[in-house]
Amino acid sequence: VRDRGTTRVFGSGSGVTGSDGRFQVSGLPAGTHDLWVNPAGLPEGALLCRNPLPVSVYMSEAAQALVAAEPVCLISIQEAKDQGVGAFVNVAGIVTSSPGQLRSQYTYVQDGSAGVRIFSALLEGQGIEVGDRITLTAELAIFNNDLQLVNPTLESVEPGVGAPTPQTATTGALAEAGPVAAHPLQGRLVVVRGAELQTLFTGGGNRNARIDDGSGAAELRIEAALSASGDAINERFEVGACYDIVGVVGNFNGTAQVFPRSFDDITQVACTGGE
């Protein structure tokens, strides 16, 4: 047990756990101190995600402290993406596209650093909604240059935290991010404003069309849960018209795409000529 913010150990302020993992340190002064555990004594595969831990001691009272080891520490989504394919990670994020909203086995989450897709049927049927905060462990994988979390274990669900505000982005920024699988825009909920629909929905099973707000072209992707018919999609939209589009960002083999979660995420607006 150390004087808070230092490496100075209090007199008789150290101990060793017994075989049951319990320990006792006596004779400490009152106050809030740092409880530090030597990681060299931990079992293989056990991590202390917070070390030291704050512990408060009061006059003439016994205090208890739980030192909990984890197989993997909670990190930001961007840190997880930067670790690369095959990494085993623990992340928490706000749901921006609920399970199955875009297509079967797709869920999107984001935190303050980035967003990412979860590819699994595990989350479907559990009542998880946009605006919930979920914590999970999973393995980082890649599919056609799109990073995703696979084989997840759901640790917790905190409902109703609140849906994040879409980040304003340009089609040019999306196009620039497209080839970079770990880019912070990938997997994030964005809004693109005044993008002109330049082609009919033709590619990718008649569900891809080119959009451009004057900064460079990207793709608008209508996923399977919205419509399975290319003709029906083309009847909804007009080539040459402009739209504000909310959706999560992805890519297909490096080509930037934005996935609206419903047709309500696409609103026709006046074209401004890219101004």
Side-chain angles (χ1 to χ4, degrees):
V1 181
R2 298 171 170 177
D3 192 7
R4 183 171 54 179
T6 75
T7 58
R8 185 178 71 85
V9 180
F10 290 113
S12 70
S14 62
V16 178
T17 64
S19 59
D20 59 359
R22 298 176 66 88
F23 60 93
Q24 181 173 343
V25 178
S26 302
L28 297 170
T32 300
H33 312 309
D34 286 343
L35 175 60
W36 181 81
V37 177
N38 184 352
L42 292 173
E44 184 179 356
L47 300 173
L48 287 179
C49 298
R50 189 178 182 188
N51 190 25
L53 296 168
V55 58
S56 295
V57 177
Y58 302 95
M59 294 289 293
S60 304
E61 291 185 20
Q64 292 186 341
L66 175 64
V67 181
E70 304 286 348
V72 60
C73 295
L74 184 69
I75 58 176
S76 73
I77 291 175
Q78 187 61 53
E79 288 174 317
K81 291 164 68 170
D82 288 341
Q83 289 194 23
V85 173
F88 181 60
V89 298
N90 182 12
V91 298
I94 305 294
V95 176
T96 55
S97 178
S98 59
Q101 187 176 21
L102 283 170
R103 67 186 302 174
S104 178
Q105 302 188 76
Y106 275 27
T107 304
Y108 280 84
V109 297
Q110 71 180 50
D111 62 10
S113 68
V116 71
R117 180 173 69 217
I118 304 166
F119 181 73
S120 174
L122 173 72
L123 304 185
E124 297 182 37
Q126 299 201 39
I128 295 173
E129 301 289 345
V130 171
D132 293 350
R133 185 177 189 266
I134 63 175
T135 303
L136 68 155
T137 56
E139 181 182 347
L140 198 67
I142 196 165
F143 177 73
N144 290 327
N145 198 59
D146 222 349
L147 285 175
Q148 56 188 12
L149 297 176
V150 299
N151 302 319
T153 298
L154 186 64
E155 303 290 345
S156 66
V157 179
E158 186 179 356
V161 172
T165 301
Q167 177 179 327
T168 300
T170 64
T171 54
L174 300 187
E176 184 177 344
V180 186
H183 195 286
L185 271 179
Q186 296 282 0
R188 181 173 287 280
L189 183 69
V190 302
V191 56
V192 175
R193 301 195 183 279
E196 179 187 355
L197 184 67
Q198 296 187 323
T199 66
L200 292 172
F201 289 86
T202 56
N206 293 333
R207 299 202 299 271
N208 295 349
R210 190 173 68 228
I211 55 173
D212 193 341
D213 62 5
S215 62
E219 279 189 349
L220 174 61
R221 169 75 174 177
I222 303 298
E223 269 297 358
L226 274 67
S227 177
S229 169
D231 292 338
I233 298 172
N234 285 325
E235 290 172 4
R236 286 178 171 268
F237 303 105
E238 178 184 351
V239 173
C242 296
Y243 300 88
D244 287 350
I245 303 166
V246 175
V248 290
V249 179
N251 77 91
F252 184 76
N253 289 330
T255 299
Q257 296 182 319
V258 59
F259 307 142
R261 302 160 299 176
S262 73
F263 287 118
D264 291 338
D265 277 341
I266 308 173
T267 304
Q268 187 169 355
V269 296
C271 293
T272 59
E275 294 296 329

